Amino acid sequence: MAALAEQIENTLGGTADPQIVEGLNVYPMLEANPTPPAIDVYPGNPFQEQQASGKGNKRLNFNVRGRVNTPDNEGAQELLLSMMDPQGTASVEQALLEDRTLSGTVGYLSVDGPTDYGVFVEPNGAGAFLSCTWTVQVIP
């Protein structure tokens, strides 16, 4: 999860030069109370899928969730749509696919999504964010 988050951070966020998504916070785990714009990376459902018979032949699934603040509805939608655009400069998909081996830490990765976006209330009731999710499949 940390390698996925690091790749997004290096491509789009605070360590990118120039910053593509200004103020982007990237969390290498499920974040219940993010500071948007935010991306968190956490195990998907199912987390492990058998790829072939034998030990270690599994695919791992991760959710990569983008969330933006909704007080400026139009601006929030524009930002999230730019992150969803597969060919855009702020594309989360392109950031994830920039290095399919995550600097040699995995064998391969692919990306599905993004999902539709909508307003999601946070489990802790702290707020509602406009959000979408990508599913990243990793083969170790």
Side-chain angles (χ1 to χ4, degrees):
M1 293 185 301
L4 289 169
E6 183 178 324
Q7 185 156 307
I8 295 167
E9 175 77 17
N10 291 341
T11 305
L12 300 178
T15 59
D17 186 23
Q19 268 189 345
I20 294 172
V21 178
E22 189 174 329
L24 180 66
N25 293 291
V26 182
Y27 303 95
M29 60 189 72
L30 182 71
E31 180 57 45
N33 190 21
T35 300
I39 292 177
D40 55 352
V41 180
Y42 55 94
N45 183 16
F47 177 57
Q48 298 181 33
E49 293 183 282
Q50 195 71 35
Q51 293 296 287
S53 60
K55 183 178 178 181
N57 293 317
K58 295 191 181 220
R59 177 175 72 189
L60 306 177
N61 296 304
F62 295 93
N63 290 328
V64 175
R65 178 174 51 176
R67 290 180 280 182
V68 296
N69 211 357
T70 56
D72 172 11
N73 186 43
E74 188 174 307
Q77 288 189 56
E78 288 175 2
L79 176 56
L80 190 59
L81 285 170
S82 71
M83 293 167 67
M84 294 170 74
D85 181 353
Q87 301 302 318
T89 57
S91 171
V92 170
E93 180 178 346
Q94 288 301 315
L96 289 163
L97 295 176
E98 186 171 290
D99 176 4
R100 290 180 187 256
T101 68
L102 300 175
S103 298
T105 59
V106 301
Y108 186 77
L109 71 81
S110 63
V111 179
D112 286 338
T115 61
D116 294 341
Y117 73 84
V119 176
F120 297 95
V121 177
E122 294 302 302
N124 62 6
F129 300 103
L130 193 58
S131 177
C132 72
T133 305
W134 294 262
T135 300
V136 178
Q137 298 88 29
V138 174
I139 298 173

